[in-house]
Amino acid sequence: MENSAAIEMMIVNAIERTGRAMGKYMGERQTPDELLTVKEVAKILKVSLNYANHLVQSGIIPGLKMNGMKVRRRALEAWMAAMEGQDLSDPAQPVPIQRPSKSA
């Protein structure tokens, strides 16, 4: 039993050290569920404030109303990952980006 407790403690310590090292490697640490304003969302997406507001207000990017609309950073990152490779000309109906076919 003592061995399993010691092994468990070693694993916990290794995980904590890895987490700290990743934090240094990744630069600034941010809380996974940090709340972003629509203005911050616009800045991250490099779009206009009006467009970001449309994305959040319409529910395309999930948000919550709390003294203005807010978006969880994790939700924004998940949305961006899901939209990878999509044409967002109509963000309510994303379609895969059409690439020209190579002719031989």
Side-chain angles (χ1 to χ4, degrees):
M1 287 291 190
E2 285 183 31
N3 275 347
S4 64
I7 291 172
E8 185 177 330
M9 185 56 77
M10 286 174 29
I11 292 171
V12 168
N13 288 336
I15 291 170
E16 288 174 352
R17 282 193 310 274
T18 302
R20 285 191 299 270
M22 288 302 291
K24 289 177 185 175
Y25 174 75
M26 300 296 282
E28 179 182 334
R29 279 189 159 192
Q30 301 208 351
T31 311
D33 284 334
E34 172 186 14
L35 290 177
L36 304 170
T37 63
V38 176
K39 187 175 182 178
E40 291 168 323
V41 169
K43 186 175 180 180
I44 290 168
L45 295 178
K46 295 180 175 41
V47 297
S48 72
L49 181 57
N50 285 340
Y51 188 67
N53 194 46
H54 166 71
L55 294 173
V56 175
Q57 291 288 346
S58 64
I60 293 169
I61 295 176
L64 56 137
K65 190 168 187 177
M66 201 168 76
N67 193 23
M69 291 301 288
K70 305 285 190 291
V71 174
R72 288 183 322 121
R73 180 176 290 276
R74 185 179 285 172
L76 179 61
E77 290 171 353
W79 179 81
M80 289 189 304
M83 293 299 110
E84 188 80 26
Q86 299 293 308
D87 178 348
L88 297 174
S89 298
D90 178 1
Q93 297 182 2
V95 295
I97 294 173
Q98 297 296 317
R99 306 218 190 273
S101 60
K102 292 185 178 181
S103 301

